Amino acid sequence: QVQLVESGGGLVQAGGSLRLSCAASGRTFSTMGWFRQPPGKERDFVAAIRWNSNSRYYADSVKGRFAISRDNAKNTMYLQMNSLKPEDTAVYYCAAGSSMGRVDLLSLYNYWGQGTQVTASS
């Protein structure tokens, strides 16, 4: 059975850093990504990676501050988050899919992690 296990969330001051991890078991995927959902708002795209090519994509709101990466041997994806802002506060979800469609669309992803809370306090 496919499973995505997230870790690394927590509480930091604005300007601080966190690194999220997402370990995939059961299979490999064409595309993996991160989405986030602030309280009372919709789930929005953050970043994604095409596994084979290592092509990377970012939402404008996080470009230059966040970095997505992979470890092929561990089948694990990371999200390094620097210069965190209060507006980054959300539940962050790891996602994976087998399609090469648009990475910012929820419909691309078939599997989801359990979510991890990220809070940046001013």
Side-chain angles (χ1 to χ4, degrees):
Q1 187 83 327
V2 171
Q3 186 173 217
L4 303 178
V5 179
E6 302 180 40
S7 62
L11 173 64
V12 298
Q13 289 187 328
S17 298
L18 287 171
R19 189 179 73 161
L20 306 183
S21 298
C22 175
S25 62
R27 56 163 292 180
T28 58
F29 300 92
S30 298
T31 309
M32 294 185 68
W34 294 95
F35 288 73
R36 66 186 182 186
Q37 188 166 19
K41 297 184 178 181
E42 66 184 1
R43 190 172 299 187
D44 289 331
F45 171 75
V46 177
I49 186 168
R50 304 288 195 188
W51 205 257
N52 290 339
S53 67
N54 203 29
S55 297
R56 305 174 190 188
Y57 309 86
Y58 298 94
D60 289 342
S61 59
V62 306
K63 194 171 298 182
R65 299 188 297 120
F66 292 8
I68 191 170
S69 62
R70 70 183 186 190
D71 186 325
N72 289 348
K74 298 179 179 179
N75 206 29
T76 298
M77 176 181 65
Y78 304 94
L79 184 68
Q80 179 66 47
M81 304 184 294
N82 299 324
S83 302
L84 282 162
K85 304 175 180 180
E87 50 263 45
D88 295 319
T89 296
V91 177
Y92 283 69
Y93 294 92
C94 170
S98 299
S99 174
M100 293 295 290
R102 280 181 54 176
V103 300
D104 59 329
L105 299 181
L106 292 169
S107 58
L108 176 63
Y109 302 93
N110 307 113
Y111 303 96
W112 295 85
Q114 80 279 8
T116 185
Q117 177 70 46
V118 171
T119 302
S121 178
S122 61

